[in-house]
């Protein structure tokens, strides 16, 4: 098992820069997830680690080895793709052992590795079947098994669950998490689904436009985002953002008038980066952090538009006076109706404040 170090990695296609000087350390045995919207560069970055893309500049180290210009087969990595890429005419056992057979590994060693991988992935009953006789989840497990038998230093997953339905995605998330716990290998996983990132990762790397926005433990990114992009991307439903304007600054407290309802003002303590009076700011509040009107404090009165009843939780999608969409989570109250007026309280201790450029004010 080995870690991964990226030093000022850049990738360009002609005059188009895709990755902009990425520095990243993934520790030995860590499960790191690259997450971000389509086109953010996460798959390209993964492919540079695999050696499937040449870096324009910078260095990639796997363990103590500089593998920047090493061929993919010599890097000690195994990759699982979005498509299963199984040979349809081969059995499960033959698919899993194909790479070892091509490298002329001893037959006993091949059989031992296939048996171990099939046991970990619960594929024993299916070893004689061909891919067409397997479900999507079973095929993906075969693709993972093919990677396991190679005994790589690093596992790379490029959106491996995208082709599965919702129920299978949940099952395979559990399978992959259990696999990591069992073998303890370094894993790098790419997804655009932040739920997958939150549930699987030891470390999340949030990418946007070829830059790393923030790196950290899932709950750290959720509770302490560096900027508006991370705050809005991590969390489902996403954080609400309400435009505001600074009305007063007193010592370490900033008073903000909420532009959705100019009769509402909230005072937020700040230790640094104090704004100036009249400066435009953005207030952030997660759907589950709204309190009832009886709680007292800064209140918003909104008109509900759509209500989703999901059993244990209800989401109210409401419209502010300026048309801004606000999402409110309710668990005890299940009687919200479309078109009804709703009043909620914003607790100061749960509020986030961002400047006009989206940078977190702390």
């Amino acid at each position: 098992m080995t870690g991964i170090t990226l030093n000022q990695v850049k990738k360009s296609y002609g005059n188009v820069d895709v990755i902009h000087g990425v520095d990243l350390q993934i520790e030995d045995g860590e499960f790191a997830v690259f997450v971000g919207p389509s086109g953010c560069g996460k798959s390209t970055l993964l492919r540079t680690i695999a050696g499937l893309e040449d870096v324009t500049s910078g260095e990639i180290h796997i363990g103590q080895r500089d593998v920047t210009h090493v061929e993919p087969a010599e890097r000690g990595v195994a990759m699982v793709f979005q498509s299963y890429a199984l040979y349809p005419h081969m059995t499960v056992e033959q698919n899993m052992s194909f790479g070892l057979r091509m490298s002329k590994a001893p037959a006993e060693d091949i059989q031992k590795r296939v048996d171990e991988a099939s046991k970990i992935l619960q594929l024993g009953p299916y070893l004689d079947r061909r891919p067409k006789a397997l479900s999507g989840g079973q095929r993906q497990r075969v693709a993972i098994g093919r990677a396991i038998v190679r005994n790589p230093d690093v596992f790379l997953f490029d959106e491996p669950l995208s082709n599965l339905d919702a129920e299978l995605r949940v099952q395979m998330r559990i399978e992959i998490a259990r696999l990591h716990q069992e073998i303890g290998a370094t894993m790098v996983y790419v997804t655009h689904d932040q739920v997958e990132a939150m549930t699987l990762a030891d470390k999340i790397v949030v990418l946007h436009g070829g830059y790393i926005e923030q790196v950290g433990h899932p709950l750290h990114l959720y509770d302490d985002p560096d900027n508006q992009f991370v705050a809005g991307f991590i969390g489902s439903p996403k954080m609400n953002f309400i435009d505001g304007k600074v009305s007063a600054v007193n010592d370490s407290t900033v008073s903000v008038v909420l532009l959705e309802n100019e009769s509402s003002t909230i005072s937020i303590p700040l230790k640094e980066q104090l704004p100036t009076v009249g400066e435009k700011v953005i207030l952030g509040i997660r759907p589950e952090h709204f309190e009832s009107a009886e709680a007292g404090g800064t209140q918003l009165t909104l008109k509900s538009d759509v209500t989703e009843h999901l059993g244990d939780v209800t989401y109210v999608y409401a419209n502010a006076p300026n048309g801004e969409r606000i999402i409110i989570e309710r668990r005890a109250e299940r009687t919200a109706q479309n078109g009804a007026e709703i009043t909620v309280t914003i607790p100061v201790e749960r509020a986030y404040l961002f400047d006009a450029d989206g940078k977190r004010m702390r």
Side-chain angles (χ1 to χ4, degrees), residues 306-321:
V306 175
T307 303
E308 292 181 339
H309 298 287
L310 303 180
D312 63 327
V313 64
T314 295
Y315 292 114
V316 179
Y317 296 81
N319 292 322

Side-chain angles (χ1 to χ4, degrees), residues 4-9 19 21-26 34 45-46 48-49 55 58-62 212:
I4 302 170
T5 304
L6 307 183
N7 293 323
Q8 280 296 296
V9 171
I19 303 294
V22 164
D23 290 308
L24 180 64
Q25 178 67 49
I26 299 171
F34 295 170
L45 191 59
L46 188 80
T48 62
I49 296 172
V55 298
E59 296 180 349
I60 299 174
H61 293 258
I62 296 179
I212 291 180

Side-chain angles (χ1 to χ4, degrees), residues 210-229:
Y211 294 94
I212 291 180
E213 294 285 347
Q214 190 173 354
V215 178
H217 184 273
L219 291 181
H220 172 70
L221 267 60
Y222 187 84
D223 293 331
D224 192 20
D226 283 346
N227 54 54
Q228 186 180 357
F229 177 81

Side-chain angles (χ1 to χ4, degrees), residues 11-18 44 47-48 53-54 56:
K11 176 62 180 176
S12 302
Y13 296 100
N15 295 324
V16 179
D17 297 328
V18 179
T44 301
R47 290 171 66 85
T48 62
E53 298 278 359
D54 294 328
T56 302

Side-chain angles (χ1 to χ4, degrees), residues 44-355:
T44 301
L45 191 59
L46 188 80
R47 290 171 66 85
T48 62
I49 296 172
L52 301 178
E53 298 278 359
D54 294 328
V55 298
T56 302
S57 63
E59 296 180 349
I60 299 174
H61 293 258
I62 296 179
Q64 301 301 315
R65 296 190 303 141
D66 183 345
V67 299
T68 310
H69 303 293
V70 173
E71 290 297 315
E74 304 300 323
R75 293 194 179 200
V77 303
M79 194 159 180
V80 179
F81 296 92
Q82 179 178 345
S83 60
Y84 317 125
L86 302 178
Y87 295 106
H89 64 287
M90 294 184 183
T91 64
V92 168
E93 183 173 14
Q94 290 168 339
N95 267 284
M96 291 173 63
S97 63
F98 180 77
L100 295 178
R101 288 187 282 115
M102 290 299 97
S103 62
K104 308 296 185 182
E108 290 184 2
D109 188 32
I110 293 174
Q111 189 61 53
K112 181 181 177 181
R113 293 196 198 184
V114 170
D115 288 344
E116 289 175 351
S118 63
K119 183 178 180 180
I120 291 172
L121 296 168
Q122 300 175 12
L123 287 170
Y126 311 108
L127 290 177
D128 293 329
R129 294 190 187 181
R130 288 183 170 79
K132 67 179 181 180
L134 303 175
S135 68
Q138 290 165 345
R139 293 178 192 179
Q140 193 57 276
R141 276 190 277 162
V142 175
I144 294 171
R146 183 174 52 197
I148 291 175
V149 298
R150 293 184 55 196
N151 195 26
D153 295 323
V154 176
F155 287 84
L156 306 177
F157 296 87
D158 190 6
E159 302 198 48
L161 309 185
S162 296
N163 291 336
L164 305 181
D165 61 34
E167 184 177 355
L168 276 176
R169 287 172 75 99
V170 174
Q171 292 177 5
M172 284 304 302
R173 280 209 311 265
I174 296 170
E175 294 282 350
I176 292 172
R178 185 178 57 80
L179 173 66
H180 179 249
Q181 292 175 5
E182 187 161 342
I183 66 178
T186 305
M187 295 185 177
V188 184
Y189 187 103
V190 163
T191 181
H192 63 273
D193 185 338
Q194 58 90 25
V195 174
E196 286 182 15
M198 292 290 288
T199 54
L200 286 172
D202 297 320
K203 174 186 288 179
I204 292 180
V205 181
V206 182
L207 289 147
H208 185 215
Y211 294 94
I212 291 180
E213 294 285 347
Q214 190 173 354
V215 178
H217 184 273
L219 291 181
H220 172 70
L221 267 60
Y222 187 84
D223 293 331
D224 192 20
D226 283 346
N227 54 54
Q228 186 180 357
F229 177 81
V230 175
F233 197 84
I234 300 296
S236 180
K238 71 174 187 177
M239 181 182 288
N240 297 292
F241 298 111
I242 304 171
D243 291 336
K245 183 167 62 175
V246 177
S247 59
V249 179
N250 298 312
D251 297 328
S252 59
T253 302
V254 176
S255 296
V256 177
V257 175
L258 303 181
L259 300 185
E260 277 76 2
N261 186 348
E262 295 192 6
S263 64
S264 297
T265 300
I266 185 170
S267 296
I268 300 177
L270 289 179
K271 296 180 181 179
E272 53 186 272
Q273 296 179 250
L274 293 176
T276 58
V277 174
E279 183 176 337
K280 290 184 178 181
V281 292
I282 301 163
L283 179 82
I285 178 78
R286 294 201 180 276
E288 68 270 24
H289 291 161
F290 283 110
E291 295 180 354
S292 65
E294 293 76 20
T298 302
Q299 295 186 342
L300 281 180
T301 299
L302 309 164
K303 186 176 181 180
S304 64
D305 182 28
V306 175
T307 303
E308 292 181 339
H309 298 287
L310 303 180
D312 63 327
V313 64
T314 295
Y315 292 114
V316 179
Y317 296 81
N319 292 322
N322 71 340
E324 183 73 22
R325 174 63 61 84
I326 306 293
I327 307 172
I328 303 160
E329 178 183 310
R330 289 190 158 183
R331 291 189 177 269
E333 174 61 60
R334 304 172 67 181
T335 60
Q337 299 296 323
N338 296 341
E341 198 171 78
I342 181 172
T343 299
V344 292
T345 299
I346 301 175
V348 173
E349 66 276 10
R350 296 290 196 174
Y352 298 79
L353 199 63
F354 306 90
D355 63 21

